[in-house]
Amino acid sequence: GPTVLAGPTPAGLRLPPAAPVTLLATPLLSPARLPRALQALWARQSLDRALARAMGPKVLGHVAAARSCAEAAQAGQVVYADHADLPVIPASNMKLLTATAVLDRLGPSYRFTTKLEALAAPADGVVHGDLYFVGSGDPLLRLASYARSIPDGSNVYTDVTRLVAALKATGARVVTGGVVGDETRLDSVRAVPGWSAVYGEEGDVGALSALGIDDGFATAGPPVPGSAPPPVQSAGLLTRMLRAAGIDVESAPTAGTAPS
C-alpha cells in the first residue's frame, strides 16, 4: 500500500506511489505451499525408498532379503510393509520382541519378586513344615559367582543369597520339612520347540522355568540328580545354602505348589 508520512504534506505536492516492502517470500514450488496430502505422499515415497534399500539384497544379501520381513507403522497406520506375512524365526532379535511384550503387559515399573513362604512364621527359631521357594519368572535370579562370569553383568542381577540372609535374620534355625520349588507362575516348557539340542549342550541356553537360577544352568549337586527339573535344582541349591548358613533343613528338596 502507499507510504504514510508523519506530518502534513505541502499543498500541491504529489508523492510517487511507494514500492511495497517485501517482508517474507517463498518460492512457487516451496513445500510450504503444497497441500498436506502432497507432503504426506512425498514423505511416504521417501520412506518407502529408504526402507526398501535397507531391506534389499544389496544390504542384506539375496537370501536374507527373501527370507526377512519388516513393517513400519505410525499412529496405527502401516506406512511400509515388506513380506509382512512371511513367518520367520527371529533368532537373536527375539530379545527385542520379548522385551516389548513384557513392557506392554507388565509396564516399565514392574518388579519380579521371588519369595520364601511357609504356613506360619518361625516360632522359637523353627519353621514348622515345608519352606516354599516361589519363583516369579525373574530372568536375573543369580548367584554372585555366576554374575561375575558375565561381561558387564556383575551388578545387574537378583542375588538369591539375600533370601537366605533374610530368613536367618528372622532367627530361623530349623526347617522341619524341606524346600519346595514352585515354578507355577509360568508353564513347564523347558526349551523352544525347533531349537537344536546343541544349543543346550554348548551352553547357549539353559532350561526355561519360572524358578531358574543362573539362566537355568544352576544345579544343586548330590543328592539331586543332574536330570532333575529346574524347580528341584533351585530348591536343592537353596537347601545347600541354608545349611551352609546354619539353618538345618530336615527333608529333601522337591517341586510343588505353595498353598494359597
Side-chain angles (χ1 to χ4, degrees):
T3 301
V4 178
L5 299 179
T9 301
L13 178 64
R14 289 178 175 275
L15 295 176
V21 178
T22 300
L23 299 180
L24 296 173
T26 56
L28 180 62
L29 297 179
S30 168
R33 295 181 178 274
L34 297 177
R36 289 184 178 273
L38 292 179
Q39 293 183 48
L41 177 61
W42 179 85
R44 172 76 175 270
Q45 291 175 343
S46 178
L47 178 65
D48 282 347
R49 289 192 296 268
L51 292 178
R53 284 194 298 270
M55 294 298 297
K58 289 185 177 180
V59 175
L60 300 181
H62 290 281
V63 175
R67 297 181 180 178
S68 298
C69 67
E71 184 175 281
Q74 184 177 30
Q77 297 294 319
V78 175
V79 296
Y80 175 82
D82 177 65
H83 298 127
D85 296 326
L86 180 67
V88 296
I89 299 175
S92 293
N93 287 324
M94 189 66 198
K95 65 176 71 71
L96 302 177
L97 303 181
T98 302
T100 300
V102 169
L103 287 171
D104 179 63
R105 292 300 183 93
L106 302 181
S109 61
Y110 182 82
R111 295 292 181 270
F112 292 94
T113 303
T114 305
K115 301 177 182 179
L116 288 183
E117 297 181 342
L119 293 177
D124 297 325
V126 179
V127 177
H128 292 280
D130 291 328
L131 185 65
Y132 295 91
F133 189 15
V134 184
S136 66
D138 186 347
L140 298 177
L141 190 62
R142 296 171 177 170
L143 297 174
S145 56
Y146 179 81
R148 287 193 296 268
S149 71
I150 300 175
D152 300 325
S154 58
N155 295 320
V156 186
Y157 71 102
T158 305
D159 190 349
V160 68
T161 60
R162 289 165 56 188
L163 287 170
V164 178
L167 182 61
K168 192 172 179 64
T170 68
R173 294 176 285 101
V174 178
V175 178
T176 63
V179 177
V180 179
D182 184 343
E183 67 165 357
T184 55
R185 172 68 185 276
L186 303 179
D187 58 42
S188 59
V189 175
R190 303 298 179 209
V192 176
W195 276 1
S196 172
V198 74
Y199 293 169
E201 295 167 1
E202 295 182 349
D204 295 320
V205 293
L208 302 176
S209 174
L211 185 62
I213 299 176
D214 293 350
D215 295 338
F217 291 115
T219 56
V224 177
S227 59
V232 179
Q233 298 289 357
S234 298
L237 188 57
L238 184 69
T239 298
R240 195 173 70 190
M241 289 190 290
L242 290 173
R243 288 171 176 167
I247 300 176
D248 183 32
V249 182
E250 297 184 351
S251 298
T254 58
T257 303
S260 58

